[in-house]
Amino acid sequence: MKIDKCKKASFVVIGKEGSTSDGEGFIQKLWDDANSHFGEVQHLAKKDENGNIAGIWGAMSDFSRSFHPWEDFCKGLYLAGVECNDDAEAPNGWTKWVVPGYEYIYAERENEDTFSEVIKYLGDNGLQLTGAVHDFSCPQTGKRYMFFPIKKL
């Protein structure tokens, strides 16, 4: 597994919010809802220099909405959405999160073990998780990544 490091300033995600309290399969239901209503937020999406959508995020936070890691890595909030311009306002039925800036360790999500493998890598390298892990999908390549915050900016 290839692990990289980057810094990402605070950014906005507008999406469909749910919680682990919503039961099994809640994340897929959020994505189904977000994807089927994407036209409602498409115009708010941040674009790169070529006019492509900047990113699709599965942002996560603890229940306090402080962007701390999920409790026991299995209880928290999830926002299935798109990266938007900072001044964008969420339409009715959508939720806006402002994700703090962090330095991240990230890895392509190649299998279901990516999370545990990167958590082990952090420990093996004396690094600590300082916030909630986020899922990222690159619209241009279709590749999926997991972002692990290691230092708040």
Side-chain angles (χ1 to χ4, degrees):
M1 168 186 332
K2 183 175 185 251
I3 294 178
D4 290 304
K5 190 187 282 190
C6 71
K7 291 181 181 176
K8 182 158 178 60
S10 177
F11 63 100
V12 168
V13 176
I14 293 180
K16 296 293 186 167
E17 182 183 281
S19 150
T20 51
S21 304
D22 297 336
E24 191 158 332
F26 85 97
I27 291 174
Q28 187 57 54
K29 289 176 188 167
L30 291 173
W31 281 115
D32 291 346
D33 188 13
N35 289 333
S36 65
H37 295 97
F38 184 68
E40 298 171 14
V41 294
Q42 186 171 4
H43 66 287
L44 302 172
K46 184 180 258 185
K47 307 279 193 315
D48 68 14
E49 61 277 353
N50 298 319
N52 299 309
I53 290 173
I56 304 296
W57 290 91
M60 295 182 228
S61 177
D62 63 317
F63 285 115
S64 74
R65 298 176 189 278
S66 300
F67 297 98
H68 295 297
W70 278 12
E71 182 183 331
D72 301 323
F73 295 127
C74 63
K75 296 178 198 155
L77 301 172
Y78 191 94
L79 186 72
V82 63
E83 187 170 343
C84 292
N85 296 309
D86 293 348
D87 60 350
E89 292 301 323
N92 241 4
W94 293 81
T95 301
K96 176 180 177 176
W97 283 7
V98 180
V99 180
Y102 287 100
E103 182 173 331
Y104 291 95
I105 293 288
Y106 67 96
E108 187 174 347
R109 189 172 197 154
E110 298 170 341
N111 56 53
E112 292 305 312
D113 296 327
T114 302
F115 179 83
S116 57
E117 289 173 6
V118 176
I119 291 294
K120 181 181 180 330
Y121 172 89
L122 293 176
D124 291 349
N125 288 278
L127 299 169
Q128 280 194 300
L129 195 61
T130 59
V133 176
H134 304 299
D135 294 324
F136 172 77
S137 294
C138 178
Q140 288 72 47
T141 65
K143 291 184 178 183
R144 299 178 321 141
Y145 299 85
M146 295 188 86
F147 279 67
F148 296 76
I150 58 168
K151 182 180 178 188
K152 200 164 187 177
L153 298 181

